[in-house]
Amino acid sequence: MFGSAAPPTQSGAASHSPYAGYATDRHQAASPTGSYSGSTTGQHAQPGSGQFPSFATHVQAQPQRVSGEPKKRSGALVAGVTVLALLVGGGAGAVGGYLVADNAGGGSSTTALDQPKPAQQANTPAPPGSVEAVADKVLPSVVQLQVRGRSSAGEGSGFVISADGLIVTNNHVIEGAADGGQITAVFQDGRTAKAAIVGRDPTSDVAVVRAENIGGLVVAELGRSDDLRVGQAVVAVGSPFELAGTVTSGIVSALQRPTRAGGADGSQATVLDAVQTDAAINPGNSGGPLVNMQGQVIGINSAIYSPGAGSGDAGSVGIGFAIPIDQARRTADEIVKTGKATQTILGVTVRDNPQGIGALINEVSAGGSGEKAGVKKGDIVTRLNDRRIDDADALVAAVRSHAPGTKVTLVIGDGERTIEATLGGQPVDPN
């Protein structure tokens, strides 16, 4: 339901997401049957479901026969192939030996192997604005989170926001430990600490945990996401496939990309107003920072589009999504101060417009922000402020990108009506 923590209850034309087949990049353990559950490849979305599978521990994929590849035979044929390979290798070695001998007899030819190694790189600071400089600044503040729940185990990433152990991450990284599980934070300097959940918000996929009995941590510098530009350089840092401290670089590929991700069981729809990037993000990167070239956090890496998600081969194809830091910062601040988060709502339920672009108002909650502003059942919202609304998810993402109490302008239809609305808020139940 748009305006509540539960998924939309929609009638008529079904709401859909153009990003069906996406995967949250948390990393999960394989079951004996070969299906994935827990955290590196997780539950997989059905085509068109609009749900993101979850991820947590690196899984060693079983070798699969390439389509069209003949089955291997045993016995003499295999032995024959082995002998043939040895013979070819021996023949090639002999010919190579003759060539070298002939050439050596001709004079003073040298190879690259004869050249001395170049001078060692100078131990000087990396140039400002380089990926190397960003890595030097950001890596000490990035954390690997090892999560063990009742029935799953996995890993993700996070970043430090206080020297005494507060860490921001994704809800989907740590939700497995929400019911009596364990979280271990592994820091870049080699220290480890048990961590406890401070609070979490499944609707925004943001969570805060606190590492216990530790201090002197390097704190990440938070930037802003309201001035990002398509094409600007960014760096992603995290622990893909358990490889802690991995750095990848790319650009901002798109902004305000409505992206729907499900919770671990696929029942909690989470619509993100995401920053899209081509920096490589893989299972295990979830919760890690996306930073600008000043080393400031501008997003939280949360999801990827992966055509292989349904086959257990999810990985980066250069389409990743991060929660804008302005939205994540607001949620994390509420969690740190109160232990809970507030979801921004318009007080309506929506579905896609069956006749074209726009979000169709399905129901209007009595006494809600929408009703007070004059929104009516059957209205088709086509713009929020200067932002075009193509479908229901776009309206949900646009509303959630603002704080409760923000005044927005809604355009109905082709402009026949313009409505001024003040967005409301409601506490999020994480369970």
Side-chain angles (χ1 to χ4, degrees):
M1 175 178 293
F2 178 36
S4 80
T9 303
Q10 300 171 347
S11 60
S15 175
H16 71 278
S17 169
Y19 308 105
Y22 285 50
T24 49
D25 54 345
R26 186 179 58 185
H27 179 172
Q28 310 221 14
S31 70
T33 62
S35 63
Y36 294 90
S37 63
S39 37
T40 293
T41 39
Q43 300 155 336
H44 303 299
Q46 297 299 318
S49 69
Q51 295 296 319
F52 288 57
S54 304
F55 285 93
T57 316
H58 178 54
V59 177
Q60 174 121 11
Q62 296 298 318
Q64 299 181 8
R65 186 163 64 92
V66 177
S67 177
E69 177 186 349
K71 294 182 178 178
K72 294 181 180 179
R73 299 182 182 178
S74 59
L77 176 57
V78 174
V81 171
T82 303
V83 172
L84 177 60
L86 291 173
L87 290 175
V88 171
V95 173
Y98 288 132
L99 292 175
V100 170
D102 288 345
N103 189 48
S108 57
S109 176
T110 61
T111 70
L113 301 175
D114 299 315
Q115 304 300 317
K117 287 196 295 185
Q120 193 172 32
Q121 294 186 71
N123 188 18
T124 56
S130 66
V131 174
E132 183 183 356
V134 171
D136 286 344
K137 177 179 179 179
V138 176
L139 275 170
S141 66
V142 179
V143 185
Q144 183 183 47
L145 296 175
Q146 300 173 347
V147 181
R148 183 172 295 278
R150 291 178 180 268
S151 59
S152 65
E155 298 190 356
S157 306
F159 56 92
V160 177
I161 61 168
S162 75
D164 61 353
L166 285 175
I167 299 166
V168 172
T169 184
N170 283 140
N171 173 71
H172 77 254
V173 169
I174 54 83
E175 64 184 345
D179 186 19
Q182 289 186 332
I183 304 172
T184 301
V186 182
F187 299 93
Q188 289 292 318
D189 60 9
R191 290 185 290 172
T192 63
K194 297 297 182 184
I197 297 174
V198 176
R200 61 192 187 93
D201 177 11
T203 67
S204 67
D205 201 20
V206 173
V208 179
V209 301
R210 181 185 287 278
E212 300 171 347
N213 302 317
I214 199 166
L217 299 175
V218 176
V219 177
E221 181 183 355
L222 304 186
R224 58 190 303 161
S225 52
D226 59 354
D227 61 353
L228 293 177
R229 299 183 300 275
V230 173
Q232 78 174 78
V234 290
V235 172
V237 187
S239 305
F241 297 108
E242 302 182 35
L243 302 172
T246 296
V247 175
T248 57
S249 63
I251 62 169
V252 172
S253 303
L255 297 168
Q256 297 181 337
R257 186 72 83 189
T259 304
R260 179 180 289 197
D265 60 0
S267 64
Q268 176 62 64
T270 303
V271 179
L272 310 176
D273 192 37
V275 177
Q276 183 181 326
T277 180
D278 68 346
I281 298 173
N282 283 290
N285 269 116
S286 274
L290 185 70
V291 301
N292 60 23
M293 301 313 290
Q294 288 74 50
Q296 300 166 331
V297 181
I298 53 91
I300 304 176
N301 302 317
S302 300
I304 58 174
Y305 171 72
S306 185
S311 64
D313 297 326
S316 175
V317 293
I319 305 176
F321 301 94
I323 305 168
I325 194 59
D326 290 352
Q327 181 177 347
R329 182 175 192 159
R330 182 175 70 248
T331 301
D333 187 53
E334 281 190 318
I335 290 173
V336 169
K337 291 177 178 176
T338 68
K340 297 181 180 180
T342 302
Q343 181 187 54
T344 306
I345 60 173
L346 181 58
V348 300
T349 62
V350 295
R351 59 189 176 98
D352 291 348
N353 175 18
Q355 305 301 320
I357 67 168
L360 175 64
I361 303 298
N362 197 43
E363 297 290 342
V364 180
S365 301
S369 302
E371 184 186 61
K372 291 177 180 177
V375 177
K376 302 182 183 302
K377 180 178 180 179
D379 282 346
I380 297 173
V381 179
T382 55
R383 299 192 78 83
L384 186 149
N385 294 339
D386 59 352
R387 177 170 174 173
R388 172 173 160 162
I389 302 300
D390 289 326
D391 55 21
D393 279 0
L395 181 57
V396 173
V399 168
R400 289 183 178 174
S401 69
H402 293 85
T406 302
K407 294 183 178 181
V408 298
T409 300
L410 303 174
V411 175
I412 307 300
D414 292 328
E416 56 263 26
R417 284 166 53 220
T418 299
I419 296 173
E420 301 292 329
T422 300
L423 300 176
Q426 66 180 15
V428 174
D429 181 2
N431 301 313

